Amino acid sequence: MSKQKYTAAQRAENCVLDLEAAVYQAAMKPRGTLGGICETFGLTYNTAVLQVNPKRTCHTLSPLLIEQVLSATQSSLIMDAVCRAHGNAGWFLLPDENNQCDEMVDIALLGQKFADLNSTSLDAYADKVIEPDEYASMQKDGYALISHIQTILKNAERNMERNNGNA
């Protein structure tokens, strides 16, 4: 797989992006998303478009706009980018307390996420050279695996508390 370059769309789907690219993908790829964000938060659309465009240097992406895009889209791309920027962090969503979970399905999905990471890693190491896109793909699969492990643990904790009187 080395030496293969992803297109921008493939990179967004398969890799962990830098923060500016992640905000752009979250705000612009589902058509109309940025317009809805501007309407919700009272932003000027033209200014917001310039701010989220990573190719435009005349406007900078503000932390407030990043927060607003994240709040409106709940984009995993942005969270992955923040963890990548930190370098030693990961993130996960806690399962909704009201949702009933199927533990067996969660455990089966854990195996699938591990297989995804294993496959991506084996492809990347096939020629003994890790390219940036390959590493970003491994990172994305790794974050998904860690997130799923945390989901299983949180659901197990809730089950324990429910069935053992908040032990």
Side-chain angles (χ1 to χ4, degrees):
M1 186 168 154
S2 284
K3 308 294 183 206
Q4 175 185 351
K5 300 289 185 192
Y6 285 142
T7 65
Q10 290 171 321
R11 189 168 288 111
E13 183 179 329
N14 297 314
C15 299
V16 176
L17 305 173
D18 62 73
L19 185 57
E20 288 181 333
V23 171
Y24 177 79
Q25 289 290 328
M28 300 299 286
K29 287 308 170 182
R31 190 168 188 166
T33 301
L34 188 59
I37 293 168
C38 290
E39 188 175 310
T40 300
F41 294 103
L43 306 173
T44 305
Y45 180 79
N46 290 335
T47 303
V49 166
L50 293 173
Q51 287 179 329
V52 301
N53 187 341
K55 296 188 187 308
R56 297 293 301 244
T57 57
C58 60
H59 289 81
T60 57
L61 184 59
S62 69
L64 180 59
L65 184 57
I66 295 169
E67 181 182 348
Q68 291 165 334
V69 171
L70 181 59
S71 174
T73 65
Q74 301 289 305
S75 174
S76 61
L77 294 173
I78 296 173
M79 294 302 299
D80 288 345
V82 169
C83 290
R84 177 184 182 190
H86 182 281
N88 196 23
W91 72 277
F92 58 91
L93 291 174
L94 294 175
D96 185 7
E97 288 186 30
N98 298 326
N99 277 350
Q100 293 294 330
C101 64
D102 185 344
E103 292 84 3
M104 299 312 281
V105 171
D106 280 347
I107 292 169
L109 287 173
L110 178 66
Q112 180 60 51
K113 293 198 183 297
F114 178 78
D116 292 345
L117 176 60
N118 192 34
S119 175
T120 302
S121 300
L122 287 172
D123 288 346
Y125 279 109
D127 64 354
K128 311 265 190 257
V129 176
I130 304 293
E131 296 294 329
D133 281 345
E134 292 172 326
Y135 178 72
S137 292
M138 290 170 62
Q139 224 178 2
K140 186 167 188 166
D141 288 344
Y143 288 157
L145 177 63
I146 292 166
S147 173
H148 200 74
I149 290 169
Q150 292 299 330
T151 297
I152 289 172
L153 290 174
K154 190 63 177 178
N155 283 332
E157 178 184 26
R158 287 181 183 153
N159 181 301
M160 175 190 70
E161 290 171 352
R162 184 176 56 249
N163 294 313
N164 294 302
N166 292 338

